[in-house]
């Protein structure tokens, strides 16, 4: 675990340059705007270890799968969001020496991610081998006010010399993904164009034929005087160059204002003109105005989504870091986009969509963004329903059964690990639960008729065909699956998967009844479209739901993760030597599969989803049993344990797991931050506070709170939006205050008592918070 990030409420701060930590910092200081984003690579040349990464949402390549033994049904490719045109590049030569922090003496290095204003700032002093010294400050942004625009300001001061400086400000499309299966480059050049101060480069992806145009405007000033620029070009590369003399204390300022647009939003024949219009609009504003717009746009984001913690700077920094990354990864403007587990911070997982979105991210966006943001995440799946049905057909299912992919860009399964692609089918249930969760929170039952019901029925049809009747058990069973705990493969009767399947079947019937009553015309349309045989299918689904088998251990009085779990040697995590963890880096896969150790919440994930079905004693028994066996080597695990520990009034555990999930990347807890940040688990961090410590739930169409205050905190507060009402919730010792900032009266449950809060009113309730 690393601990080099300085604690600060609003900033991520790295002081001093350590090349061994650079790739971790490149992840931590990443910036984006929902449409595109970039790792915190240096503007100037850097010959040290780095992962160059600049990504455009939705632009991907179907990289051919590498497997040693092809099995029927294997996806043919693994989709990857592509490393795109590097627009920040500056090649700076001082009297024949290249400015390169891997080859110079670096002092006064400081990197700051200003989360309040949404900018990345880096300062340093570099001493070249000749003894010449320069001082640099670089400021970079990805505008969320205009998501086609990014910009940087690079300020260099000659500290102790007179001499000549050569600068090449370039855009480079001759890039590749580090994780390319066959070391292939994925871009072809379409066209390039150069004007006096602006370069235009259009590239096309191989196979998928997306086109992306980058328009880069460069201006260079020496002591305030604008320099003349020369143009240079080669394949997939354009530059603006300037050579000039400086004296000691001279200042050099480089501005790059860049528009990046793609054929997702413009006709290919219009890309150049559209890029020119976009970049010229930004140029007219200037860098200072772009900075001001960015700060204003982020102020609005923070007003809706900030969590304020008093008394614990490390916790405050962590939650803001998580919220910042979520807001710059997904804005909800485009229903074609989704949330990759690494966002714009790295290439692991290919930038594709996983079940993380539905299980973890939906609650965050429901509470902190307009309703359409979460709705667009659901519509993304609705639009891919036909592909989900095709995916199921490839595996032998029929009659409209839908199996959503484990990994996807366009709805087609593109994950090449068989135990996940074929067996981790619980992702279907997470998608159905997200529909339920959205409707529960928003009250928007019309969504069922518009989009949701068809998805729910397709999923129910899959579960019906995926189970089989066991004459031995006299119940329905589900064989050959992998649950959320991926340290178990190809097992029978995973409790969580069986539970989720039964619930999906029941909820599909309930949803149908709602649509029949509220939108009969829509129901008739859907019934005809999907050939729903209500009498026969509903009877079958009900029979399965009522007769599903759930593994249970009578002696321990706990739900068993799967059949045969107690056959494993029951070693507790506390008895594992620290030198043997993380298991996935220290043990063979065979040894992991034979052990009782759990990668992430599995049974407890189901108990989190369906907590109202279990009393405190049952929850406590299962929590204690599985927590003692869970190694939390998935980023998605600690948040669920934190929420359940809070419900069980276990303050110490709840806080421990909150801090672990909140600072997972900041402290490089699992030694993998250099690959990119764990964006989707960051939503779980938000859940740990709002659903965990604040105890927020939706019950019977009302928000309810049952909070406690971690002993390390003086107070904490946050804002949630709920059915058109904005509520400010503040929790201190023995007190919860809720202010209604909307124009409607709302009924809120606090400590099991209902309170009506009129517009502008606040209610203060006192109770000893455990």
């Amino acid at each position: 675990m690393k601990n080099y990030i300085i604690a600060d409420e609003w900033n991520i701060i790295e002081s001093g340059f350590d090349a061994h930590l650079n790739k971790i910092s490149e992840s931590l200081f990443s910036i984006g705007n929902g449409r595109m984003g970039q790792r915190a690579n240096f503007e100037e040349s850097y010959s040290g270890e780095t992962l160059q990464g600049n990504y455009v949402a939705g632009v991907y390549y179907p990289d051919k799968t590498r497997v040693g033994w092809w099995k029927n049904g294997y996806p043919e490719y693994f989709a990857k969001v592509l490393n795109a045109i590097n627009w920040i590049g500056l090649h700076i030569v001082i009297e024949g020496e290249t400015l390169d922090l891997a080859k110079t003496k670096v002092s006064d290095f400081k990197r700051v991610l200003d989360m309040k204003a949404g900018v990345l700032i880096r300062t340093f002093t570099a001493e070249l081998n000749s003894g010449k010294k320069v001082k640099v400050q670089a400021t970079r942004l990805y505008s969320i006010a205009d998501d086609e625009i990014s910009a940087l300001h690079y300020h260099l001061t000659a500290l102790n010399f007179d001499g000549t400086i050569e600068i090449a400000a370039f855009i480079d499309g001759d890039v590749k993904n580090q994780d390319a299966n066959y070391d292939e480059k994925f871009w072809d050049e379409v066209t390039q164009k150069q004007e006096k101060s602006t370069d235009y480069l259009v590239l096309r992806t191989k196979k998928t034929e997306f086109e992306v145009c980058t328009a880069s405007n460069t201006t260079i000033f020496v002591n305030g005087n604008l320099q003349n620029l020369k143009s240079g070009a080669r394949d997939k590369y354009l530059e603006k160059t300037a050579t000039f003399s400086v004296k000691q204390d001279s200042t050099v300022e480089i501005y790059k204002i860049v528009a990046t647009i793609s054929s997702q939003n413009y006709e290919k024949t219009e890309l150049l003109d559209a890029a020119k219009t976009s970049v010229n609009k930004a140029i007219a504003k200037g860098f200072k105005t772009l900075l001001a717009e960015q700060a204003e746009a982020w102020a609005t984001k923070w007003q809706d989504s900030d969590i304020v913690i008093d008394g614990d700077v490390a916790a405050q920094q962590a939650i803001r870091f998580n919220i910042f990354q979520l807001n710059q990864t997904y804005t909800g403007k485009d229903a074609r986009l989704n949330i990759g587990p690494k966002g714009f911070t790295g290439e692991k997982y290919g930038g594709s969509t996983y079940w993380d979105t539905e299980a973890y991210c939906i609650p965050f966006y429901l509470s902190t963004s307009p309703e359409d943001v979460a709705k667009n995440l659901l519509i993304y799946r609705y639009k891919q329903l036909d592909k989900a049905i095709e995916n199921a057909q490839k595996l032998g299912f029929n009659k409209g059964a839908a199996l959503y992919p484990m990994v996807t860009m366009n709805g087609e399964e593109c994950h090449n690990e068989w135990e996940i692609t074929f067996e981790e089918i619980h992702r279907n249930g997470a998608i159905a639960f997200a529909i339920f969760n959205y409707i529960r929170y928003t009250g928007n039952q019309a969504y069922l008729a518009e989009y949701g019901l068809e998805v729910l029925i397709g999923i129910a049809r899959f579960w019906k065909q995926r189970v089989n009747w066991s004459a031995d058990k006299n119940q329905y069973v589900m064989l050959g699956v992998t649950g959320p705990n991926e340290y178990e493969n190809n097992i029978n009767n995973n409790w969580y998967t069986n539970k989720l399947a039964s619930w999906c079947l029941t909820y599909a019937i309930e949803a149908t009844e709602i649509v029949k009553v509220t939108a009969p015309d829509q129901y008739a349309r859907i019934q005809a479209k999907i050939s729903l045989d209500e009498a026969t299918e509903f009877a079958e689904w009900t029979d399965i739901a009522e007769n599903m088998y759930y593994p249970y251990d009578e002696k321990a009085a706990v739900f068993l993760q799967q059949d045969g779990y107690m056959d494993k040697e029951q070693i507790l995590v506390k008895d594992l030597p620290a030198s043997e963890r993380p298991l996935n880096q220290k043990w063979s896969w065979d040894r992991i599969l034979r052990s009782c150790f759990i990668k992430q919440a599995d049974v407890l994930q189901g108990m989190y989803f369906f907590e109202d079905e279990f009393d405190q004693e049952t929850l406590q028994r299962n929590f204690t049993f599985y927590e003692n066996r869970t190694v939390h080597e998935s980023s998605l695990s600690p948040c669920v344990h934190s929420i359940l520990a809070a419900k069980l009034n276990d303050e110490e555990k709840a806080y421990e797991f909150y801090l672990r999930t909140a600072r997972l990347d900041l402290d490089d807890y699992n030694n993998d931050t250099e690959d990119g940040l764990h964006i989707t688990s960051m939503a779980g961090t938000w859940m740990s506070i709002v659903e965990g410590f604040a105890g927020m739930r939706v019950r019977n169409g009302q928000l309810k709170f049952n909070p406690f205050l971690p002993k390390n905190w003086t107070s904490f507060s946050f804002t949630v939006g709920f059915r058109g009402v904005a509520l400010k919730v503040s929790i201190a010792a023995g007190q919860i205050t809720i202010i209604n900032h909307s124009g409607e009266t709302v009924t809120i449950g606090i400590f099991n008592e209902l309170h009506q809060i009129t517009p502008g009113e606040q209610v203060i309730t006192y109770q000893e918070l455990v």
Side-chain angles (χ1 to χ4, degrees):
M1 188 169 74
K2 316 296 189 303
N3 189 23
Y4 70 95
I5 297 300
I6 297 171
D8 184 275
E9 292 186 350
W10 275 109
N11 300 284
I12 307 302
I13 303 170
E14 176 187 16
S15 182
F17 180 59
D18 184 342
H20 297 97
L21 300 173
N22 186 52
K23 287 176 70 176
I24 298 172
S25 293
E26 286 179 343
S27 297
L28 292 176
F29 292 85
S30 298
I31 54 175
N33 62 10
R35 182 70 65 183
M36 55 187 176
Q38 184 178 60
R39 289 171 61 83
N41 307 119
F42 296 158
E43 288 86 359
E44 71 280 350
S45 303
Y46 184 66
S47 58
E49 190 174 2
T50 181
L51 172 57
Q52 182 73 43
N54 179 44
Y55 310 102
V56 180
V59 176
Y60 67 93
Y61 177 81
D63 198 10
K64 186 171 176 57
T65 296
R66 294 191 73 151
V67 292
W69 180 21
W70 199 272
K71 296 183 178 67
N72 190 33
Y74 262 12
E76 294 186 2
Y77 66 90
F78 187 83
K80 295 170 180 176
V81 170
L82 301 186
N83 191 6
I85 295 171
N86 173 23
W87 64 270
I88 65 171
L90 299 174
H91 184 59
I92 300 172
V93 179
I94 301 168
E95 287 287 297
E97 293 181 272
T98 298
L99 179 58
D100 179 345
L101 296 198
K103 298 179 179 178
T104 60
K105 182 179 179 181
V106 183
S107 60
D108 304 320
F109 183 95
K110 192 173 186 179
R111 190 160 19 190
V112 178
L113 180 61
D114 181 343
M115 298 182 290
K116 193 171 189 177
V119 295
L120 172 62
I121 302 167
R122 182 171 57 102
T123 58
F124 64 88
T125 299
E127 181 178 346
L128 305 177
N129 291 334
S130 63
K132 296 180 181 64
K133 292 184 180 180
V134 293
K135 183 178 182 180
V136 170
Q137 176 170 313
T139 304
R140 190 190 313 173
L141 66 87
Y142 272 73
S143 174
I144 61 168
D146 182 348
D147 62 14
E148 293 179 346
I149 299 300
S150 52
L152 68 83
H153 174 219
Y154 196 91
H155 186 282
L156 181 149
T157 304
L159 293 180
N160 66 346
F161 67 93
D162 301 341
T164 301
I165 297 180
E166 303 167 53
I167 294 176
F170 60 85
I171 54 176
D172 183 9
D174 191 20
V175 295
K176 66 179 181 180
N177 278 45
Q178 181 175 277
D179 67 347
N181 281 343
Y182 295 89
D183 204 32
E184 182 182 4
K185 292 183 178 179
F186 302 140
W187 295 98
D188 290 324
E189 182 179 293
V190 176
T191 190
Q192 53 180 240
K193 179 181 179 183
Q194 293 188 288
E195 296 178 346
K196 183 177 180 181
S197 61
T198 306
D199 291 332
Y200 302 86
L201 182 59
V202 182
L203 301 183
R204 179 188 297 127
T205 60
K206 298 176 181 178
K207 295 184 181 179
T208 46
E209 297 190 341
F210 292 103
E211 290 190 11
V212 175
C213 179
T214 296
S216 176
N217 175 268
T218 301
T219 50
I220 300 177
F221 297 85
V222 179
N223 296 324
N225 298 312
L226 181 65
Q227 301 298 295
N228 291 322
L229 303 178
K230 294 182 179 180
S231 296
R234 60 176 184 262
D235 185 45
K236 304 180 189 176
Y237 176 97
L238 299 172
E239 67 180 11
K240 290 287 187 276
T241 62
T243 301
F244 44 82
S245 297
V246 297
K247 294 186 179 299
Q248 182 174 332
D249 297 327
S250 290
T251 60
V252 179
E253 292 184 272
I254 308 167
Y255 292 92
K256 295 183 80 172
I257 296 176
V258 177
T260 302
I261 63 174
S262 81
S263 56
Q264 294 182 100
N265 304 307
Y266 296 91
E267 294 295 328
K268 292 177 181 178
T269 55
E270 300 173 355
L271 280 183
L272 273 173
D273 289 341
K276 187 170 187 175
T277 299
S278 183
V279 77
N280 284 342
K281 180 182 174 183
I283 293 166
K285 292 177 180 178
F287 188 77
K288 288 183 179 179
T289 298
L290 292 175
L291 278 177
E293 288 182 346
Q294 179 79 335
E296 183 179 353
W298 270 106
T300 300
K301 290 277 187 186
W302 286 117
Q303 180 179 338
D304 294 335
S305 60
D306 192 19
I307 293 179
V308 179
I309 298 171
D310 294 321
D312 190 340
V313 176
Q316 177 67 87
Q317 179 186 47
I319 189 58
R320 281 192 173 132
F321 178 67
N322 284 257
I323 293 169
F324 178 79
Q325 294 294 345
L326 286 164
N327 279 329
Q328 69 172 2
T329 299
Y330 183 77
T331 61
K333 295 179 181 178
D334 190 337
R336 296 170 299 175
L337 302 180
N338 208 282
I339 305 164
K342 295 292 184 182
F344 301 117
T345 72
E347 297 172 11
K348 192 173 182 181
Y349 305 118
S352 299
T353 303
Y354 286 66
W355 69 288
D356 307 22
T357 294
E358 285 77 21
Y360 295 89
C361 298
I362 288 287
F364 171 78
Y365 293 105
L366 280 173
S367 294
T368 64
S369 302
E371 182 182 320
D372 282 351
V373 173
K375 184 178 180 180
N376 276 342
L377 288 172
L378 301 183
I379 291 174
Y380 176 89
R381 296 292 194 177
Y382 170 77
K383 289 184 175 179
Q384 295 179 353
L385 177 58
D386 288 345
K387 286 286 188 182
I389 292 172
E390 287 181 20
N391 292 335
Q393 288 173 343
K394 291 176 183 178
L395 301 183
F397 299 89
N398 56 30
K399 299 180 180 178
L403 175 58
Y404 278 91
M406 186 66 185
V407 178
T408 194
M409 283 290 183
N410 62 3
E412 188 173 30
E413 178 65 73
C414 63
H415 200 293
N416 57 298
E417 296 181 23
W418 69 269
E419 68 272 17
I420 291 177
T421 303
F422 301 156
E423 296 184 351
E424 206 163 331
I425 54 177
H426 63 83
R427 74 254 192 176
N428 248 17
I431 291 167
F433 188 84
I435 295 172
F436 162 78
N437 209 12
Y438 167 79
I439 294 170
R440 174 174 64 177
Y441 196 91
T442 65
N444 180 18
Q445 289 191 340
Y447 181 82
L448 287 173
E450 291 178 283
Y451 306 104
L453 185 58
E454 290 181 53
V455 173
L456 293 172
I457 290 173
I459 289 172
R461 285 171 166 174
F462 170 81
W463 290 126
K464 188 268 174 184
Q465 296 177 46
R466 187 57 174 78
V467 302
N468 63 271
W469 180 258
S470 167
D472 177 64
K473 291 180 171 59
N474 203 34
Q475 287 179 292
Y476 288 98
V477 297
M478 201 175 320
L479 310 179
V481 301
T482 297
N485 171 33
E486 293 170 347
Y487 286 177
E488 295 277 7
N489 296 156
N490 196 28
I491 49 89
N492 296 333
N493 295 308
N494 174 255
W495 184 89
Y496 170 75
T497 306
N498 285 17
K499 176 65 179 174
L500 205 50
S502 294
W503 175 85
C504 287
L505 293 166
T506 300
Y507 183 55
I509 295 172
E510 293 174 359
T512 303
E513 296 302 325
I514 291 170
V515 173
K516 285 172 68 176
V517 172
T518 60
D521 291 344
Q522 287 280 64
Y523 173 71
R525 174 189 62 81
I526 294 169
Q527 185 181 38
K529 177 181 177 182
I530 64 175
S531 303
L532 177 64
D533 181 352
E534 185 177 317
T536 301
E537 292 189 77
F538 285 10
E540 293 171 338
W541 299 353
T542 300
D543 183 49
I544 294 168
E546 291 178 350
N547 294 283
M548 182 70 80
Y549 166 70
Y550 302 106
Y552 186 80
D553 186 78
E554 296 287 350
K555 185 176 180 180
V558 296
F559 303 113
L560 279 186
Q561 183 167 280
Q562 75 267 342
D563 283 347
Y565 181 76
M566 296 304 288
D567 292 336
K568 295 171 177 282
E569 185 178 5
Q570 296 297 309
I571 304 172
L572 304 186
V573 173
K574 67 180 180 64
D575 297 322
L576 268 176
S579 61
E580 296 190 19
R581 298 181 63 185
L583 300 184
N584 57 27
Q585 296 176 23
K586 302 296 179 68
W587 283 15
S588 70
W589 192 242
D590 169 73
R591 187 178 180 187
I592 289 174
L593 292 178
R594 288 186 288 106
S595 79
C596 70
F597 297 119
I598 297 168
K599 181 182 179 184
Q600 70 184 81
D602 194 308
V603 169
L604 297 185
Q605 179 79 39
M607 299 189 82
Y608 160 67
F609 276 170
F610 307 115
E611 64 178 14
D612 289 348
E613 297 183 21
F614 311 103
D615 58 34
Q616 289 287 91
E617 292 76 17
T618 301
L619 179 57
Q620 182 68 69
R621 284 196 307 274
N622 282 272
F623 180 85
T624 301
F625 182 85
Y626 284 109
E627 167 50 28
N628 287 334
R629 293 159 174 80
T630 302
V631 291
H632 299 290
E633 290 176 9
S634 164
S635 66
L636 301 174
S637 186
C639 62
V640 172
H641 284 244
S642 179
I643 295 166
L644 293 179
K647 183 177 174 61
L648 292 167
N649 300 321
D650 188 340
E651 175 189 336
E652 184 177 349
K653 282 286 186 187
Y655 182 76
E656 173 192 338
F657 286 123
Y658 159 74
L659 210 57
R660 178 162 178 173
T661 185
R663 298 194 65 87
L664 179 73
D665 290 312
L666 287 174
D667 295 337
D668 194 21
Y669 199 95
N670 285 338
N671 198 32
D672 60 359
T673 301
E674 67 177 37
D675 295 332
L677 304 177
H678 298 83
I679 300 297
T680 48
S681 79
M682 290 177 171
T685 302
W686 179 91
M687 289 159 52
S688 296
I689 293 180
V690 175
E691 297 185 8
F693 302 155
M696 189 182 86
R697 300 290 190 274
V698 180
R699 297 293 181 266
N700 301 318
Q702 297 170 334
L703 271 189
K704 298 188 177 182
F705 296 89
N706 188 23
F708 79 87
L709 183 69
K711 64 182 179 181
N712 299 50
W713 300 359
T714 304
S715 65
F716 68 100
S717 61
F718 55 90
T719 298
V720 292
F722 179 71
R723 301 191 180 187
V725 175
L727 301 171
K728 177 66 177 294
V729 181
S730 302
I731 296 163
Q735 174 181 311
I736 175 171
T737 303
I738 300 179
I739 304 174
N740 183 354
H741 284 304
S742 69
E744 300 179 29
T745 298
V746 63
T747 300
I748 300 294
I750 307 174
F751 298 125
N752 300 316
E753 292 186 3
L754 295 180
H755 300 262
Q756 277 200 333
I757 312 177
T758 58
E761 183 189 8
Q762 73 173 21
V763 59
I764 303 176
T765 298
Y766 297 89
Q767 177 171 323
E768 188 62 34
L769 302 183
V770 295

